[in-house]
Amino acid sequence: MNRLPVTEKLAVNKYELDEGHPHIAVNEEVCRAKCKNLACLYVCPANVYSEQNGRIMADWAGCLECGTCLVACPSDALQWVYPRGGFGVIYRSG
Ligand code: SF4
């Protein structure tokens, strides 16, 4: 059984970054008006989301494409699509 910490497992993955084509966008207006629990900050296994001065930021380059944030966002403030073909995460650890 592989007992590496999650951070080390994530470091094994490769990411093909599609510069200038973010596949995640946060609708700040909806987020600010409707969201009360900031679920995205807690559910993302890759820590893609952060809060800076009251704004939710998405560092989409490290996204694992699991879709958890879409399910967890209570206010539908996320626009999310898969990266274009040939881009995004490449799993190397099972
Ligand atoms: Fe994080 Fe998964 Fe959402 Fe990507 S799809 S931002 S890894 S929760």
Side-chain angles (χ1 to χ4, degrees):
M1 176 182 267
N2 188 345
R3 295 189 182 265
L4 285 175
V6 171
T7 51
E8 288 188 34
K9 287 182 179 178
L10 291 176
V12 175
N13 296 330
K14 183 180 176 197
Y15 298 89
E16 289 294 340
L17 185 59
D18 194 2
E19 290 277 3
H21 295 94
H23 71 281
I24 300 173
V26 179
N27 184 323
E28 290 184 40
E29 198 173 308
V30 173
C31 186
R32 205 175 5 253
K34 292 186 175 179
C35 185
K36 305 291 182 231
N37 63 9
L38 306 178
C40 60
L41 298 180
Y42 306 103
V43 300
C44 176
N47 290 324
V48 163
Y49 297 95
S50 60
E51 186 267 332
Q52 295 172 19
N53 300 320
R55 294 177 60 202
I56 297 297
M57 313 296 287
D59 182 14
W60 50 274
C63 176
L64 300 170
E65 301 169 27
C66 67
T68 305
C69 53
L70 273 182
V71 175
C73 179
S75 50
D76 290 330
L78 302 178
Q79 295 167 320
W80 193 104
V81 295
Y82 281 107
R84 298 189 300 168
F87 294 100
V89 66
I90 300 167
Y91 287 101
R92 291 179 162 171
S93 183

